[in-house]
Each structure stands twice: as C-alpha cells, then as structure tokens.
Amino acid sequence: MGVVLQRTAFSPNIKERRDFSCAVFDENGELVAQAAHIPVHLGSMPLSVKSVIENLDLKEGDMAVLNDPFMGGTHLPDVTVVAPVYVGGKVAFYVANRAHHADIGGFSPGSMPLSNSIFQEGLRIPPLKIVKSGEINEEVMNFICANVRTPEERRGDFASQIMANRTGIKRLKEIIEKYSLEEVKRYSAALMDYSEKIMRKTIENIPDGVYEFEDFMEDDGLGAKDVKIKVKIVIKGDKAVVDFSESDLQVEGSINSVRAITLSAVLYVFRCLVKEDIPVNAGCMRPITVITKKGTIVDAEFPAAVSAGNVETSQRIVDVLLGALSKALPDFIPAASQGTMNNVTFGGINPETRKPFTYYETIGGGMGAWAGGDGESAVHSHMTNTLNTPVEAIEFEYPVRVLKYRIRKGSGGKGLHKGGDGIEREFLFLTDVEVTVISERRRIPPYGLFGGEPGLEGENEVVKGGKREKRGGKFTEKLSAGDILTIKTPGGGGWGNLK
C-alpha cells in the first residue's frame, strides 16, 4: 500500500517526504498491522476507522474520506481514506491510509495557520463516501477541490490514496484465498495477543512505582506562554496507568492536541521500550490505561484550534513520557531530542504557471544522547518519521532556491555522551510568498539527563530588504521576492556528566 501511495502521489510532501501512513484493521476497527510509517498517524488512525464504522454503511467498492480531529483525526491536512474488505458478502477487514495534504484550505497557504479555532484551519471533513461502487464520487471530490488552493495536486494525491487502498484490498483477498478467512482471522488475533504478551512482559520489567515529569510548550502563537504538560506513570506488575490529567487547560492558539494524538504518543513511547521486533497493533495498548481530562492541552474539545497539536504538542508529550520513564530506566531512556518538527509552510502565485502553489515540510534536528552513546545528528525524531525534501525537488517544483542545507555544528548538548546536532536550512524566495513557521524549543531547550547539558535552542530568522531579523518560534509573515528565511533547528540533549 505504501509503495503505491508514494510512487503515484503528486505532491512532493507525499512523494518525496513520504508524509503518509498505511495500515490494516479488523472488522471492529482494531489495528492489526501497519507499515513503518508515521507514529502520530498510526496510533490515532484506529479512532478514524471506528468513526467511519459508526457513521457510514460502506458497501463493497465504497471508500470513506475524513479528516475531522474530533472524530479520530489529528489535524486537518492529514486526510484519511478508509475501505472495507468484503469476503463472502461480509466485512472481514478494513484498509486505510492517511496522508498529509500540502493544503486543505483555511486562511493561510499550507493550512497550518496561527489560528484560534478549527474553523480557520481549513476544510473539516466528516466521514463521507469518496468512492461509491468502485467509482470516485465526483460530488465529494469537487467539493473538496473547490475549497483548496491547489486542486489538481489534491485530486492527484486522493487518487493515489484510493489506489493504495485498492492494492491493500487486492493483497488481503489474495492472502485469504490462499489460507482461508478463518485462518487469516486466527493469525490476526494471534498477532495482537502476541504483541500484548510482549508488552506486558516489558512493563513487568520496569520497577513498580510512580514516575512523574513535566515540561512546557513555549507558547501558543497568540500570547499564552509556558503551557504545562504533566504526566504521572504508575507501573504495577504488567500494567501501566498513564495520567495526564494535571496538564494545563486548552489554549486559544493552535497547539491543542486531541486525545487521538496523546494515545499515539503513548503507543510510540511504550513500543520503544520493547527490545524485541514485535508487530505494532492494538495488542500493544491493552496493558496500558491512558487518563486525560477533557478540555486540556492533551485532550482538546471542539472547536479548539489544533493544527500544531499534531506536530508540536505530540513531540512534547513524548518528552514528558520519556522524562518520567528515565527515573525508572536510567540506562535505557535518552535525553530529549529536538522536541519540534520545525514546520515551514509557504505559498503564493508561481510566476511561471500563474497558478497558486503551497509548500509544507518539517525539518529534522538532533536526537538525545543516552547511556549507550551519542545522539544522531540531523534526523527526524519521535512522532515524525518522514524523509527530508531534497533540494532538487524543492527547486524543481517551486519558485525557491535553497541557499544552505547543512548540519548545525555544536548544537548538541555536551555530556559523557553528546546530543546530536540540528540542521540549518535557508530559503531564498523568487516570488512574493506568505510564510508560516510553527516551531518549539526556541526558548526552552531540549533537556539533558544525568548531568548532560541541554541541546541548543533553535532559531528562526528572515532577511527583508537585506536586513537580518530574528523571529519567534511561531509567526506568519508576507515576504517578497529576494527575501530569505533561515531555520536553525535544535540539538539533542546530552547524557551523563563530563569526565
């Protein structure tokens, strides 16, 4: 499924960065199998599949589309396409994929605005049939494309998502035909039971106790500062209770995270604790209870702005989970990685085609060091798992030149083991654009552990009329042809005292 989606996609964000995920679910919407794609997508996708099951009667040949964060989505650019797999006249499985569309409407190009409500962030799609009886539902497709800046690209990416699901259906039916439905279902259940068994064993090997940690989102882009995310992890035997209820209330800006994202972060962190190479599925979460409080930064309620919660707050949730677990597993848990995805969106009118264009990417940084060695430099970490966008792809597709793309030497935290270094990326715009940057760790650095020093904070700068000016972690600005945007990403935290 993933190979088909990546190779047939239109947008560089999906084709080059591979900002998408594919998975298989049972008839109840429980995750059976996933590709090695994006953690923040995969842990939350089951809630989207269950929303489709609850709200639509999908017949054979139908597919559903949705992106509503309050119905299992993450943020509006992440659009999910779900298809049933019928065997013998009944639904046996579902296949689904989620892809980040470079624009889904809203009041800024790229649909990642500094917003104060979900209504400003783009087109909100409840479960709808995008395919009926094997044919694309042109009414739905036309409606979506009429509300975005780049309709041809969107139409192409949706076609890729549909074909990925058709591939999944075909392959599943081939397996069922070879082994029988009963056998495939038996093995699906056994896979989930196996993952549950290994996860329980992993939790059992963590010392019983209560482990707490807190960290802060720097700001919400609209005035709120030092927004607390706090976790209390209770380990008892082979079970874990993960309690976020003391986290701050949701804020006006777009860093609010829906519960689906919080569940994704918990699944990701606990999967990282498992040393064996196990399948990731619904069984992994059976021994784990996640407690959140409605209306907080980690379980936001409608109509909260959420575009940055998926990308930024998810990273901080991982930071607090790892910080708490470092007290139980000091020789296994790393210091904080860069703690941000460094989201860059820009758009305008392409002077060659005279058509609107939008661009979105996340930029890697430094990973945290650990007892076993230094952190990796210049990579995507934790809740993102994308590639970079190659310079050649950017310059071929958009009116932009990349002046610098290099490792930010010396940005990793010092320690017995050094944190990984960040990245410096510099864009020269060849036409007028509107730029939005959503980033974190520009004021509060990624923490070190056990005497290791923090990583260096990131920096955002623009050059306007030849004058270089610093910008905060979150800003929207109109830049002219000849202006420059520079992103310097954080390094990872160091581990252990220097000797």
Side-chain angles (χ1 to χ4, degrees):
M1 291 170 66
V3 168
V4 169
L5 180 47
Q6 183 247 324
R7 292 194 174 187
T8 61
F10 275 42
S11 65
N13 189 54
I14 299 173
K15 181 171 55 183
E16 301 286 355
R17 288 186 63 243
R18 304 187 189 181
D19 195 347
F20 64 85
S21 300
C22 300
V24 176
F25 302 82
D26 69 12
E27 71 274 23
N28 299 313
E30 296 293 333
L31 179 65
V32 173
Q34 63 172 48
H37 290 156
I38 313 295
V40 77
H41 289 176
L42 292 161
S44 57
M45 221 191 299
L47 296 181
S48 286
V49 176
K50 290 175 182 178
S51 288
V52 168
I53 294 171
E54 292 168 4
N55 289 277
L56 291 179
D57 180 18
L58 291 181
K59 306 295 186 184
E60 188 162 11
D62 293 348
M63 293 192 199
V65 63
L66 76 160
N67 71 349
D68 191 339
F70 303 101
M71 300 185 78
T74 50
H75 61 179
L76 297 182
D78 283 344
V79 185
T80 305
V81 179
V82 181
V85 181
Y86 271 84
V87 179
K90 293 183 179 180
V91 176
F93 293 94
Y94 289 89
V95 294
N97 64 74
R98 176 172 288 173
H100 184 117
H101 287 251
D103 189 89
I104 199 71
F107 72 61
S108 69
S111 310
M112 295 282 289
L114 300 186
S115 49
N116 61 26
S117 83
I118 190 74
F119 302 113
Q120 298 173 344
E121 296 179 348
L123 186 64
R124 189 163 132 253
I125 308 169
L128 298 172
K129 289 187 180 182
I130 196 168
V131 176
K132 284 185 176 181
S133 302
E135 300 293 328
I136 291 176
N137 185 346
E138 290 295 340
E139 291 179 351
V140 170
M141 185 69 80
N142 290 339
F143 176 77
I144 293 172
C145 290
N147 284 278
V148 301
R149 294 170 177 83
T150 49
E152 292 177 8
E153 189 176 88
R154 301 286 65 74
R155 189 177 287 272
D157 285 346
F158 276 122
S160 299
Q161 289 185 265
I162 291 166
M163 290 310 299
N165 277 356
R166 284 180 177 163
T167 301
I169 293 168
K170 180 182 178 182
R171 295 288 183 260
L172 262 175
K173 287 188 173 182
E174 288 173 357
I175 295 171
I176 291 167
E177 186 175 344
K178 183 175 182 179
Y179 295 104
S180 82
L181 178 59
E182 182 182 358
E183 190 79 343
V184 174
K185 281 188 170 292
R186 188 166 71 85
Y187 271 84
S188 298
L191 277 173
M192 290 188 274
D193 291 343
Y194 171 71
S195 295
E196 177 187 1
K197 179 182 175 181
I198 300 299
M199 182 61 74
R200 288 189 184 277
K201 188 65 177 175
T202 299
I203 294 171
E204 197 172 38
N205 289 333
I206 303 172
D208 283 0
V210 179
Y211 306 101
E212 299 185 43
F213 197 86
E214 66 181 38
D215 203 345
F216 297 86
M217 301 295 292
E218 292 174 334
D219 66 87
D220 70 344
L222 297 178
K225 294 188 182 299
D226 294 341
V227 182
K228 181 177 70 177
I229 298 177
K230 182 175 180 178
V231 71
K232 179 170 70 174
I233 301 175
V234 180
I235 303 293
K236 188 174 182 181
D238 64 355
K239 297 178 181 178
V241 177
V242 183
D243 187 352
F244 291 97
S245 57
E246 293 184 44
S247 299
D248 280 351
L249 296 176
Q250 64 190 59
V251 292
E252 183 182 8
S254 64
I255 63 171
N256 300 295
S257 165
V258 293
R259 180 174 163 85
I261 293 169
T262 303
L263 292 174
S264 291
V266 173
L267 171 61
Y268 165 76
V269 167
F270 275 83
R271 169 62 187 88
C272 287
L273 301 181
V274 180
K275 298 177 182 179
E276 294 84 3
D277 185 16
I278 65 166
V280 179
N281 53 47
C284 294
M285 287 296 284
R286 288 174 184 168
I288 305 166
T289 301
V290 181
I291 300 172
T292 57
K293 185 178 177 182
K294 282 286 182 189
T296 60
I297 190 75
V298 296
D299 189 356
E301 293 186 293
F302 177 83
V306 298
S307 63
N310 175 56
V311 287
E312 295 301 291
T313 310
S314 66
Q315 297 283 60
R316 193 67 70 256
I317 294 170
V318 170
D319 287 343
V320 299
L321 287 165
L322 291 176
L325 288 167
S326 70
K327 300 172 183 179
L329 303 168
D331 293 332
F332 188 67
I333 300 297
S337 295
Q338 66 162 339
T340 176
M341 295 192 197
N342 307 291
N343 305 270
V344 176
T345 59
F346 54 79
I349 302 296
N350 191 319
E352 292 185 5
T353 65
R354 303 308 305 163
K355 291 182 178 181
F357 72 92
T358 59
Y359 177 76
Y360 170 75
E361 78 164 332
T362 61
I363 304 176
M367 289 194 72
W370 68 299
D374 296 342
E376 295 286 341
S377 295
V379 293
H380 290 275
S381 55
H382 295 325
M383 296 307 285
T384 179
N385 189 33
T386 61
L387 302 181
N388 76 152
T389 309
V391 171
E392 296 85 354
I394 298 173
E395 295 186 347
F396 176 79
E397 196 78 26
Y398 304 101
V400 177
R401 292 287 177 268
V402 179
L403 302 182
K404 296 178 185 176
Y405 190 35
R406 62 190 181 190
I407 293 176
R408 189 185 178 203
K409 296 290 188 183
S411 54
K414 296 177 181 178
L416 176 63
H417 299 294
K418 179 184 174 296
D421 289 329
I423 289 174
E424 183 175 358
R425 180 96 127 165
E426 190 164 88
F427 304 88
L428 168 67
F429 298 109
L430 305 181
T431 190
D432 296 349
V433 294
E434 182 178 345
V435 172
T436 301
V437 174
I438 297 178
S439 59
E440 278 278 324
R441 297 299 195 196
R442 268 48 183 177
R443 180 168 57 84
I444 302 172
Y447 60 77
L449 282 179
F450 307 110
E453 295 183 6
L456 195 63
E457 301 98 324
E459 296 180 10
N460 303 325
E461 299 173 337
V462 298
V463 176
K464 299 183 72 170
K467 183 180 178 183
R468 187 169 290 272
E469 305 170 0
K470 286 199 171 186
R471 293 291 183 266
K474 302 171 185 66
F475 68 94
T476 295
E477 189 163 353
K478 291 186 177 180
L479 298 179
S480 302
D483 290 345
I484 294 170
L485 170 68
T486 303
I487 307 293
K488 300 176 182 178
T489 71
W495 190 98
N497 288 304
L498 277 168
K499 292 183 179 179

